[in-house]
Amino acid sequence: MGKLIYFLCFILSVFPADANENRRHIHVTRKGDKKNHRGNTVAKIWIEENGKKKIEVCWSELNAKDESAIIDVIDKNWDAINEMINKVFAGESVDIIKIRKK
């Protein structure tokens, strides 16, 4: 699992196996949940289409306020997120971005 961003009570991450997907996306989970990460995903958000920025919610269990805040974080950090995803898919470690405010 490649954790990319800690944002409030959420973790935004990718999985190395996602390298084979046709669109890049982020999995959103809640911090502190004791179950496995993939099983506790509360949202899946597409971040591109055909290599171009296109942020869309694939599915979500989040309320509108949290969903909007997470989309804003992805939008503002899009370039850094893509660089981090490249590193995760290449098996390299990344420095997790920590964002404390909405």
Side-chain angles (χ1 to χ4, degrees), residues 13-59:
S13 59
V14 294
F15 298 99
D18 291 344
N20 298 323
E21 298 265 346
N22 61 351
R23 286 180 72 184
R24 284 191 170 188
H25 58 276
I26 301 288
H27 296 270
V28 180
T29 59
R30 292 192 188 275
K31 284 186 189 176
D33 209 329
K34 300 295 182 198
K35 297 178 188 174
N36 77 44
H37 184 81
R38 191 174 291 231
N40 290 315
T41 300
V42 294
K44 179 177 178 179
I45 301 174
W46 302 113
I47 64 166
E48 63 80 40
E49 186 171 54
N50 298 319
K52 297 186 181 183
K53 183 193 252 186
K54 186 171 182 182
I55 302 169
E56 297 179 294
V57 176
C58 177
W59 65 268

